[in-house]
Each structure stands twice: as structure tokens, then as C-alpha cells.
Amino acid sequence: MANALQPEYMNGPQIILLTWMFITFSILVFLFRKGKKALSIFPDIDSTEVIYRDRRASGWSDRTWLTRISGANRVLDVVVTDKELWLKTNVLFAGVGSHSDLIHKLSLSKITGIQQNNKRVQITFKSPIGNRKQFTIITKKPTEFVEAMQRNDKD
């Protein structure tokens, strides 16, 4: 006989499962919205001339100790266009990436230094408010990346 206070079609495990599904869905919607907002600075990639691209790069920002330890592992999309360097990620990680200082659309003229050490490439640039900032990326083809950056720097 069913409990008079609880409907017959719902039991404890089903309520827990539905609650878990609702929370998971809410988190995914939140991450999606934050990610869309963070990625809104980038135009459609088909509308630009791509010189270099690595969709599975890793990296971190050197802004604080927390951003150094909370980097991205094989989810960064590093794009060098004819005029800019883009550092971004997919939509679900973009909100977190923006808080970790890993979402950037930089004019190549703002980049003040590139230093390669094996697969690691450290990029130094001037932020929009004039501060010196730095991030490190690990890319599959670091020499091609550096050459693409230097080639565009000379143009």
C-alpha cells in the first residue's frame, strides 16, 4: 500500500534522479550562456584568413598563481589570422576560460614578446588598459606558430 503523502508514481530514488538531472541541466545552461557571452568578441572564423590554427592546445595565464594552476588542457583553440591572435575554447569552457584569463582576441601589434621553449610558447602583450600581461601555450607545432606570428609581424 502506498504512502498517502507520496504519490504512487514517485519514490525516493526517482526524486533524487530528477533533482540531479535538473541541477545538471541548470549548470549546463549557465555554462552555455556564460560561454556564448565570452566568445561574442570573435567573428566567424570563415570570414578571416587563418594562418595557423591548433584546436587542441593547452595553456595558462601568468596573471596570478591561481590562473597558472587552473590552465586548460587540450581544449584551447589557438588561431593566428592575418591581423590577430585568438585564444579561445569551446562554448561550455569559455565562461571558465574567461575567468582564468584564457580568452583573448589580440591585435598582433599589441604583442610585445614571443619566447619559444620546446613546445611551450610564452606570449607577452599589452592589455587594452596598458598593463603587461603574459600567457603560455603548448601547441602541437610551436615553430609553425612562432613563424606565423613573426611573418604577420613583418607584414
Side-chain angles (χ1 to χ4, degrees):
M1 181 174 217
N3 185 346
L5 297 177
Q6 187 176 8
E8 242 180 72
Y9 57 89
M10 292 292 246
N11 59 28
Q14 289 173 329
I15 292 172
I16 291 171
L17 178 64
L18 286 174
T19 303
W20 179 84
M21 288 172 58
F22 175 75
I23 291 170
T24 301
F25 179 75
S26 298
I27 290 170
L28 288 174
V29 168
F30 174 77
L31 290 174
F32 184 80
R33 286 184 179 170
K34 292 284 281 184
K36 286 294 269 185
K37 184 177 179 183
L39 295 177
S40 66
I41 62 172
F42 299 101
D44 183 18
I45 197 153
D46 295 331
S47 68
T48 61
E49 180 186 349
V50 175
I51 309 298
Y52 176 86
R53 186 172 192 187
D54 182 359
R55 296 179 191 194
R56 306 268 299 149
S58 301
W60 60 88
S61 170
D62 292 332
R63 184 178 63 186
T64 66
W65 69 270
L66 186 59
T67 60
R68 280 190 289 278
I69 64 170
S70 65
N73 190 18
R74 291 184 286 162
V75 295
L76 290 178
D77 188 4
V78 178
V79 179
V80 179
T81 70
D82 54 337
K83 294 181 173 59
E84 297 174 320
L85 169 63
W86 299 354
L87 188 63
K88 60 184 187 163
T89 187
N90 68 41
V91 71
L92 287 178
F93 293 119
V96 176
S98 66
H99 287 292
S100 297
D101 199 29
L102 288 175
I103 305 295
H104 292 285
K105 181 181 167 200
L106 301 170
S107 170
L108 294 177
S109 64
K110 297 290 183 186
I111 295 174
T112 59
I114 302 170
Q115 185 175 9
Q116 180 183 351
N117 183 5
N118 293 327
K119 287 193 172 200
R120 292 182 180 189
V121 181
Q122 190 171 55
I123 310 291
T124 306
F125 65 99
K126 194 176 278 191
S127 75
I129 59 172
N131 295 344
R132 180 184 162 276
K133 295 178 91 177
Q134 226 171 356
F135 60 85
T136 302
I137 61 169
I138 300 171
T139 182
K140 288 183 270 187
K141 299 176 183 175
T143 304
E144 287 182 27
F145 169 72
V146 171
E147 288 172 359
M149 296 284 289
Q150 291 172 343
R151 184 184 106 182
N152 287 333
D153 192 30
K154 294 175 186 171
D155 291 347

